[in-house]
Amino acid sequence: MPASPDPPRRAGRRLDRSRDAAILTATLEILAEVGYEATTVDAVAARAHTVRATVYRRWPTKADLVVAAVGQLGATDTVTAGTPDTGTLRGDLLASIIPMTADEQQLRIDVMTAVADAGRTEPKIAALSVNAGLDPWVQASKSLFRRAIDRGEFPPGDIDTLASVIPTMCVYRIAVDRLPVTRAFVITLVDDVVLPALRGRSDGHPHSHPSLPGDPS
């Protein structure tokens, strides 16, 4: 006998994303307060005024949840900063600095410290979380660098590397030095590191470097 056709599958209910922001905010707060190991999905759900099933439906593991929360923090900061157009790369980079209260700075210090500490036992989680926090800022920096090159302010260069300098140094200052990212700190990076590196390519080509032991011939 021919097999009877399978009954049609019911369409899954669309995931309601209205609770996402509250859940990710609760994750950051608890992560900052107690660290990665002591952060639990139950605690996050309680603070976000939801149930653990709602959290797990969006993020299958605690690690997924933390990575999403750290990524959202970076994304929110870049949206707040926007993509300023002052006419110069220096002006654009400085206009991207977000004024933060002491509490906002401390939250970021505590979150990134918790992520760095997690790396002692779960390096993959720490790396993913840090990268999630960095990527929005790196992409925003690339946009500013490309625009500066397109308008002829600087010759073409390795913007992939240079776009990572300021975000990476800011994360290092927060997670390792456990210090706030001040305007003066960012100005130093812009004036003493990034802009000189771009200006150093005055001929439009990368400088040659002497070979080091082990370099391919």
Side-chain angles (χ1 to χ4, degrees):
M1 294 178 60
S4 58
D6 293 333
R9 293 184 179 180
R10 295 178 60 186
R13 187 175 61 182
R14 180 176 295 178
L15 188 63
D16 179 8
R17 291 290 182 184
S18 63
R19 301 299 305 160
D20 287 15
I23 293 170
L24 295 176
T25 297
T27 303
L28 291 171
E29 291 174 352
I30 294 173
L31 185 65
E33 291 169 8
V34 302
Y36 179 81
E37 291 299 327
T39 295
T40 66
V41 172
D42 284 340
V44 170
R47 184 167 301 194
H49 304 293
T50 188
V51 295
R52 60 184 295 172
T54 299
V55 180
Y56 279 123
R57 191 159 178 248
R58 290 156 174 74
W59 300 282
T61 68
K62 181 178 78 171
D64 293 326
L65 176 61
V66 168
V67 169
V70 175
Q72 181 63 28
L73 184 62
T76 300
D77 286 347
T78 53
V79 168
T80 301
T83 309
D85 189 354
T86 65
T88 68
L89 178 60
R90 183 180 191 274
D92 293 347
L93 290 171
L94 298 187
S96 298
I97 302 172
I98 307 171
M100 291 186 185
T101 66
D103 288 344
E104 289 170 335
Q105 286 273 17
Q106 192 60 51
L107 173 69
R108 283 155 179 77
I109 291 172
D110 292 341
V111 165
M112 298 313 296
T113 298
V115 168
D117 289 344
R120 298 173 184 174
T121 55
E122 298 188 60
K124 182 177 180 181
I125 300 306
L128 286 173
S129 297
V130 170
N131 289 338
L134 278 174
D135 191 60
W137 278 112
V138 172
Q139 296 307 318
S141 296
K142 284 182 183 180
S143 296
L144 298 180
F145 284 15
R146 288 193 192 100
R147 189 167 62 195
I149 291 171
D150 289 345
R151 66 188 170 212
E153 188 179 356
F154 296 98
D158 183 6
I159 64 172
D160 288 341
T161 298
L162 289 176
S164 301
V165 170
I166 294 177
T168 301
M169 290 304 298
C170 287
V171 167
Y172 184 91
R173 182 174 174 86
I174 291 170
V176 179
D177 293 338
R178 304 192 181 189
L179 294 172
V181 175
T182 62
R183 182 176 178 84
F185 176 74
V186 177
I187 289 174
T188 297
L189 291 177
V190 171
D191 289 345
D192 295 349
V193 180
V194 173
L195 297 185
L198 285 168
R199 293 191 188 106
R201 300 172 184 275
S202 57
D203 58 358
H205 298 284
H207 293 313
S208 60
H209 298 280
S211 298
L212 298 175
D215 285 348
S217 55

